[in-house]
Structures are given as structure tokens and as C-alpha cells.
């Protein structure tokens, strides 16, 4: 089978953001658009020729078409073997698991994660390295640089591969192996958590839960693990069939978009446990009866209780959190006598720390939690971790978290998102903050005195690489913080994220409503950044 060399010209803006290249489907459907980016991966990642590549996606609109193109291009670029999930499905953590388990040279994951899907919505592509994690900046920079000068790509002419039939087929000299997308991942989960204890919890007759897959990729994973292997009653998994448009929904597991699930956990008849995951299965939301676990708290609770699960019985070597994530995990690390690292937003910054054994657990405020078992955040893993804790501690979600606060203090936390802003207004707002920074330290803002104010930069402790411009950080005496940054995953205008945190050591003050407890800091943030004057928005679009 001969490879065709197709002439092409560069597209501007093929720069991967926080997690891969994300654009509207219509952008990806332009002739040569996907091909250019994929060829840039092959041109810069030399190990792929003669190697094995993993390919899969979250099942959104254009997933199958994109996979067929990638398979034909992989064959033309000398890849020896591709492992592809049946039906083109692989959740992001499952892809990471497969990349690592079969010691492949990397993977291509097709997803725009929590962004909506459909012909007029979003699509995305990212490259993961052989260690299983998202490509670090040096790699994404090289891929981007290649897209700017690309003049040809290679592709074979062949019929579409049957993605629904498990087994091996040839595409020219390349082998395509269609694999069960769930099996390897489920086996890994079974090795980490006490499935017997969770099974008993489900059988106890006094535990009711639902998992909302939001019509996205975790449906088959959750059904197999929760219902088939752990014996949860049929129907435990809601919205469990992956749909190309996620049932017109927004597959983002938060209080706004997973509203139906939230309702099921409320009131005297509310569920004991509710959980949800996002488009590609790497996020998680954890709910108890009338209780929402802030992702930053979830990371801290998992770190403090890791020794209660089989996979982490010997304790954790360290923990890392993204810069805007609350400092709750820092307090646990201190108590355990291990290091807590503060990294820029995006899972790619955890890879080196995990590979070097410096950390066991890591997390982000954006509903992301994970460990060294893979190199992506992992939604179902977090759900199973919580279930394992509930099973062995015999306490409710609310009791576990409030007890945690009593021991470590509570970090009140919220994130306010202002979406689809005018890009110039958003960059203007950030420049305005940058101008304020040098004069802020020592200043009194309301009841709060500024301790430090900077534009966050990170030096990777393993390879020394430096990442700058990672968000404006204003720290107050006593540990409160306000953080401003612009999203790197949106596809429309700009999204401003404002993160607010306040530490409260006094247990008698741990049961205030979050927005109320943080109201003074929220006001300071709005005034300091001139949000309404500059963006025309008086309220955020999403509050978590
Ligand atoms: C957001 C989150 C970030 C997360 C990223 C990818 O990025 O804030 O913490 O790593 O999404 O998550 P941004 O740049 O929009 O703030 V996923 O589940 O979309 O792959
Ligand atoms: Co995701």
C-alpha cells in the first residue's frame, strides 16, 4: 500500500492550550486541518515510526472520522501498530493506562473534555507521551512550531477500519488492534481498591448511590465496574450511553451542569452518595447527602486517608496541586511530613513529579484528582477511592469531610467563571492587574493585608524547565488568596477564572455558606480587577 504525499499549507493557531488543541468541529472539518496537526506529531515524535501508538476518544461528534484519518496517516508514517479502543472509545485515563501497560510510544486522544459536542460544538486532539501523560510544553511547542511550517502530509488510501470488531486487522504494513476499552482499566482499578469492602457496602441495604456519566465516555466503564463487578444495583449508572452530542448536554460535572444528580442527593430521601464524570472521564464530582465536596477538599481528604486503601496502604511520597487549587492539601502534607508541590494549571505539569516518585497523589480545583497509577487525572478512580473510604470508615461523606476540617481547618473555596468574554477586554483586565502587582504587597484591602502579589512562574524540580505567565496570585496574611487567570481550553472569546480561598481554623465557624463566608474577598476581587467596568458582566456565568 503506497503512501500518498499531500501538499498542504499551514493553519494559524494550532497551538495546544491547557490540554491539547481544541476548536469548533467545523474548524477541524476543514480540509487538511486535522491532517496538518497529526503530521506535525509524526514529524516531531520520532519514536512513533516503527513503534506502537494508542488512539481513542470520548465518542463525541467527529470522533470516528478523525480516528479513520489518524489510522491512515499512522500507516503512511511507518507506525508498526495502533491500539484503538472499540467503537473509537477510550476515556482519557484509560488511554493513559493502555499507553503505559503496553509500553507504547504514546497516544493520540480525541476529546474536548467537558466542552459540549455536536456538529456546531467542540472537538479536540492531544498527544500523550510514552510515560502515559499529556505531552510536556517542550513537546507541544515543537508540534506547534512544526504546524507553522508544514507543507505536506502522508496518508494511505484504504477502506475504513471496522472499529466495532475486536481483533487485529492490517492497514498496509501496520497492524490495527481494536481492543476492549474497559478491560485494562477495570483490572487496574481492581488492583488499587478494596472491591470486597465496596461490594459489601452496596449489599448492606442502607447505601444508595448514583453515578452520572452525563452521556459521555465513562458510561461503559462505570457500568462494568460499579454494576457488573461491584454489584451495584442496575440503574446506578445514569446517562450511561456515550452520545456524540452528550444528549445536548454540557458534560461538565459541576453543580450547574450535573443539576439532576445534585437534586437526587438532596433532602431526607437524598442519596448517600452521588458522583459524576466529564466528557472524557478524567474529572469527578463527589456529593454526599446535601453535601458537595469541593475538589480541593477532596484531594486533601484522599491524601489524609490514602493509607486506608490497598493501593496506597504504605502511604504517599508527596502531593501536588495546581496553583489555583486551595491549600487544604498543603496542610495534610505538612502533617504527614511529605512535600506539597504547587504547579501551573494543567495535568502535564504533574508528569515529571509522578515519574520521579516525588508525589503519589495530585489534583486540581477543576474536579481533577489522580495518582501515580496513570498519568492523567481520573474520574472513576476518584469515585472508587471515595467508595473505598466510605466502606472502611462507615461514615457519611459529610462526616468524613467535616471531621477533616476539624483536624486541619477549613479552606473556604470558590471559583467564579466569566465565559465568552470579549478577548481584548479580558487581556486588558489581566494587563491592568499586572500593572497593580508591584504596589500591592503591604497594602490593606478591606480586612485583608496583602502578603505577596505576583504572576505565577514555575520551575520544574525534575528537569529545570520554566513556565511563566501562569496566573495572577494575590496572597494575604493568614493564607487567604485571590487568583486570576484566563482559560486555555475555551473555543469562544476568553474565559476569566477568579479563584478565591480563605482559611478558617475555628471549627465553630465551619458551617457557613461558602459564598457568604467569601463575600468580602469576592468583592475585593471584583473591584481590584474592575470586572464589571471592563467586561460588562456584573455576575459570573458559573460558580463552583
Ligand atoms: C481547565 C481547568 C484545568 C484542567 C483543564 C483540562 O483549564 O482549569 O485545571 O486541567 O481544564 O481539563 P482552563 O485552562 O480552561 O482553566 V479537561 O477535563 O478539560 O481535560
Ligand atoms: Co476532561
Amino acid at each position: 500500500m503506497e503512501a500518498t504525499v499531500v501538499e498542504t499549507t499551514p493553519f494559524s493557531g494550532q497551538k495546544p492550550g491547557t490540554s491539547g488543541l481544541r476548536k469548533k468541529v467545523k474548524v477541524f472539518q476543514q480540509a487538511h486541518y486535522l491532517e496538518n496537526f497529526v503530521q506535525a506529531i509524526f514529524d516531531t515524535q520520532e519514536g512513533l515510526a516503527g513503534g506502537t501508538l494508542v488512539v481513542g476518544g470520548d465518542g463525541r461528534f467527529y470522533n470516528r472520522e478523525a480516528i479513520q484519518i489518524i489510522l491512515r496517516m499512522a500507516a503512511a508514517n511507518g507506525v508498526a501498530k495502533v491500539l484503538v479502543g472499540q467503537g473509537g472509545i477510550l476515556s482519557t485515563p484509560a488511554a493513559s493506562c493502555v499507553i503505559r501497560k503496553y509500553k507504547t510510544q504514546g497516544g493520540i486522544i480525541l476529546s474536548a473534555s467537558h466542552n459540549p459536542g455536536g456538529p456546531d460544538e467542540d472537538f479536540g486532539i492531544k498527544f500523550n507521551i510514552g510515560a502515559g501523560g499529556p505531552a510536556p510544553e517542550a513537546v507541544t511547542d515543537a508540534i506547534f512550531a512544526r504546524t507553522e511550517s508544514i507543507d505536506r502530509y502522508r496518508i494511505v488510501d484504504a477502506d475504513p477500519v471496522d472499529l466495532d470488531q475486536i481483533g487485529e486487522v492490517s492497514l498496509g504494513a501496520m497492524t490495527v488492534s481494536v481492543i476492549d476499552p474497559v478491560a485494562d482499566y477495570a483490572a487496574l482499578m481492581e488492583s488499587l481498591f478494596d472491591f470486597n469492602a465496596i461490594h459489601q457496602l452496596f449489599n448492606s441495604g442502607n447505601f444508595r448511590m448514583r453515578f452520572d456519566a452525563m452521556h459521555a465516555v465513562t458510561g461503559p466503564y462505570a457500568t462494568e465496574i460499579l454494576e457488573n463487578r461491584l454489584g451495584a444495583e442496575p440503574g446506578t449508572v445514569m446517562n450511561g450511553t456515550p452520545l456524540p452530542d452528550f444528549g445536548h448536554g454540557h458534560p461538565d460535572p459541576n453543580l450547574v451542569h450535573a443539576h439532576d444528580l445534585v437534586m437526587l442527593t438532596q433532602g431526607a430521601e437524598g442519596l448517600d452518595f452521588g458522583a459524576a464524570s466529564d466528557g472524557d472521564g478524567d474529572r469527578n464530582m463527589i456529593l454526599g447527602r446535601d453535601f458537595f465536596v469541593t475538589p480541593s477538599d477532596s484531594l486533601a481528604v484522599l491524601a489524609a486517608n490514602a493509607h486506608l486503601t490497598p493501593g496506597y496502604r504504605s502511604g504517599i511520597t508527596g502531593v501536588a496541586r495546581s496553583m489555583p487549587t486551595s491549600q487544604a492539601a498543603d496542610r495534610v502534607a505538612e502533617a504527614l511530613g511529605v512535600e506539597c508541590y504547587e504547579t501551573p494549571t494543567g495535568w502535564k505539569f504533574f508528569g515529571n513529579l509522578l515519574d520521579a516518585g516525588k508525589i503519589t497523589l495530585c489534583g486540581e480545583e477543576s474536579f481533577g484528582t489522580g495518582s501515580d497509577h496513570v498519568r492523567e487525572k481520573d474520574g472513576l478512580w476518584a469515585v472508587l477511592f471515595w467508595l473505598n473510604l466510605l466502606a472502611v470508615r462507615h461514615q457519611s461523606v459529610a462526616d468524613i469531610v467535616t471531621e477533616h476540617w476539624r483536624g486541619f481547618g477549613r479552606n473556604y473555596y470558590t471559583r467564579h467563571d466569566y465565559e465568552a468574554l470579549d478577548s481584548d477586554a479580558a487581556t486588558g483586565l489581566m494587563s491592568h492587574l499586572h500593572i497593580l502587582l508591584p504596589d500591592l504587597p503591604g497594602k490593606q484591602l478591606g480586612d485583608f493585608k496583602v502578603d505577596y502579589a505576583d504572576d505565577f512562574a514555575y520551575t520544574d524540580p525534575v528537569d529545570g524547565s520554566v513556565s511563566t505567565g501562569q496566573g495572577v496570585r494575590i496572597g494575604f496574611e493568614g493564607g487567604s488568596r485571590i487568583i486570576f487567570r484566563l482559560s486555555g481550553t475555551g473555543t469562544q472569546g476568553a474565559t476569566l477564572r477568579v479563584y478565591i480561598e480563605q482559611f478558617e481554623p475555628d471549627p465553630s465557624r465551619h458551617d457557613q455558606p461558602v459564598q457568604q463566608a467569601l463575600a468580602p474577598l469576592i468583592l475585593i476581587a471584583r473591584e481590584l480587577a474592575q470586572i464589571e467596568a471592563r467586561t460588562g458582566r456584573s455576575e459570573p456565568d458559573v460558580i463552583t
Side-chain angles (χ1 to χ4, degrees):
M1 195 175 287
E2 280 290 294
T4 310
V5 177
V6 181
E7 285 188 16
T8 186
T9 50
F11 288 90
S12 64
Q14 291 198 319
K15 188 175 173 57
T18 313
S19 181
L21 180 68
R22 292 185 191 173
K23 302 281 177 195
K24 292 286 171 204
V25 165
K26 293 262 173 356
V27 173
F28 272 102
Q29 285 173 325
Q30 297 173 85
H32 309 323
Y33 190 90
L34 175 70
E35 291 86 344
N36 279 12
F37 190 79
V38 171
Q39 186 64 47
I41 296 173
F42 289 125
D43 286 350
T44 53
Q45 307 309 307
E46 283 163 9
L48 294 176
T52 302
L53 177 72
V54 175
V55 179
D58 62 10
R60 70 179 57 226
F61 187 86
Y62 202 54
N63 191 48
R64 284 174 179 263
E65 293 83 347
I67 289 176
Q68 297 294 348
I69 292 170
I70 293 166
L71 291 177
R72 285 158 52 216
M73 289 185 67
N77 280 281
V79 172
K81 185 172 187 176
V82 172
L83 304 177
V84 57
Q86 185 182 28
I89 292 288
L90 275 175
S91 77
T92 291
S96 184
C97 162
V98 171
I99 292 169
R100 291 168 65 76
K101 182 167 179 176
Y102 298 102
K103 300 193 167 43
T104 69
Q105 279 63 51
I108 294 178
I109 301 177
L110 304 160
S111 171
S113 189
H114 53 291
N115 296 9
D120 297 315
E121 300 294 352
D122 292 354
F123 193 74
I125 176 168
K126 71 172 181 171
F127 178 68
N128 280 29
I129 56 175
E137 277 189 334
V139 173
T140 54
D141 286 350
I143 294 170
F144 173 54
R146 181 62 192 141
T147 65
E148 293 201 296
S149 63
I150 197 149
D151 55 5
R152 43 113 205 106
Y153 63 83
R154 300 167 68 81
I155 191 161
V156 300
D157 188 16
D159 288 336
V161 172
D162 182 356
L163 296 176
D164 297 308
Q165 189 65 41
I166 288 189
E168 293 198 344
V169 292
S170 298
L171 193 63
M174 185 177 87
T175 303
V176 179
S177 179
V178 178
I179 60 168
D180 178 337
V182 177
D184 295 308
Y185 177 82
L188 178 59
M189 293 302 110
E190 212 159 344
S191 75
L192 294 173
F193 300 113
D194 189 340
F195 272 36
N196 284 333
I198 300 173
H199 181 75
Q200 278 171 28
L201 176 70
F202 288 166
N203 266 345
S204 65
N206 50 25
F207 182 80
R208 290 166 53 235
M209 76 162 283
R210 288 284 178 278
F211 175 88
D212 190 350
M214 304 190 84
H215 294 299
V217 80
T218 39
Y221 295 86
T223 305
E224 170 62 18
I225 295 171
L226 297 174
E227 296 186 11
N228 298 351
R229 298 198 184 195
L230 287 166
E233 63 176 348
T236 295
V237 177
M238 302 161 49
N239 303 319
T241 306
L243 297 175
D245 66 350
F246 308 119
H248 295 300
H250 203 127
D252 195 351
N254 60 35
L255 296 174
V256 175
H257 297 301
H259 183 71
D260 293 350
L261 176 72
V262 174
M263 294 304 288
L264 291 175
T265 60
Q266 290 179 350
E269 291 298 302
L271 300 169
D272 300 290
F273 186 68
S277 190
D278 70 331
D280 61 330
D282 56 359
R283 296 186 176 208
N284 72 90
M285 177 170 69
I286 302 294
L287 302 164
R289 181 177 305 139
D290 289 320
F291 198 90
F292 164 66
V293 184
T294 297
S296 298
D297 278 344
S298 181
L299 174 64
V301 169
L302 299 191
N305 291 280
H307 59 283
L308 299 178
T309 63
Y312 307 93
R313 185 147 285 151
S314 51
I316 59 174
T317 60
V319 53
R321 60 164 175 81
S322 69
M323 183 273 280
T325 303
S326 97
Q327 299 161 98
D330 304 41
R331 298 185 176 275
V332 176
E334 203 185 333
L336 294 175
V338 300
E339 197 70 37
C340 180
Y341 297 86
E342 181 174 46
T343 58
T345 295
W347 212 259
K348 57 181 171 243
F349 294 103
F350 294 133
N352 278 345
L353 297 170
L354 291 164
D355 289 347
K358 288 184 179 296
I359 59 169
T360 307
L361 298 183
C362 45
E364 297 191 279
E365 50 65 41
S366 53
F367 298 85
T369 338
S371 87
D372 57 2
H373 70 292
V374 290
R375 292 294 181 273
E376 289 280 4
K377 56 186 183 268
D378 190 343
L380 255 181
W381 168 90
V383 173
L384 291 166
F385 204 136
W386 268 97
L387 286 169
N388 197 150
L389 295 186
L390 295 174
V392 299
R393 285 191 51 168
H394 305 289
Q395 284 173 291
S396 69
V397 172
D399 286 348
I400 288 177
V401 178
T402 48
E403 192 177 306
H404 184 92
W405 292 337
R406 279 200 295 281
F408 294 94
R410 178 173 183 184
N411 290 71
Y412 278 103
Y413 188 83
T414 191
R415 183 176 107 183
H416 288 199
D417 291 334
Y418 298 82
E419 295 176 344
L421 298 178
D422 175 75
S423 296
D424 292 339
T427 45
L429 182 149
M430 292 303 288
S431 332
H432 158 71
L433 287 169
H434 283 131
I435 294 166
L436 295 183
L437 285 179
D439 293 330
L440 282 177
K443 257 203 177 143
Q444 188 75 30
L445 301 176
D447 292 338
F448 299 86
K449 189 165 180 199
V450 179
D451 182 12
Y452 61 88
D454 61 11
D455 187 2
F456 183 59
Y458 176 68
T459 303
D460 185 297
V462 179
D463 67 16
S465 59
V466 177
S467 304
T468 56
Q470 298 295 329
V472 164
R473 206 168 55 147
I474 300 168
F476 299 93
E477 287 178 1
S480 296
R481 298 191 307 167
I482 300 175
I483 288 142
F484 300 90
R485 58 179 285 282
L486 297 183
S487 158
T489 58
T491 57
Q492 204 185 347
T495 293
L496 170 69
R497 304 203 196 283
V498 186
Y499 311 82
I500 291 159
E501 168 181 14
Q502 185 173 349
F503 180 62
E504 177 55 72
D506 179 0
S508 75
R509 298 171 56 82
H510 281 171
D511 55 1
Q512 303 170 67
V514 176
Q515 299 304 313
Q516 190 180 310
L518 295 174
L521 280 170
I522 292 170
L523 194 64
I524 291 170
R526 289 184 184 182
E527 285 177 354
L528 201 63
Q530 302 174 345
I531 295 179
E532 184 161 7
R534 289 176 174 275
T535 68
R537 304 286 180 82
S538 57
E539 290 298 325
D541 298 280
V542 178
I543 295 179
T544 43

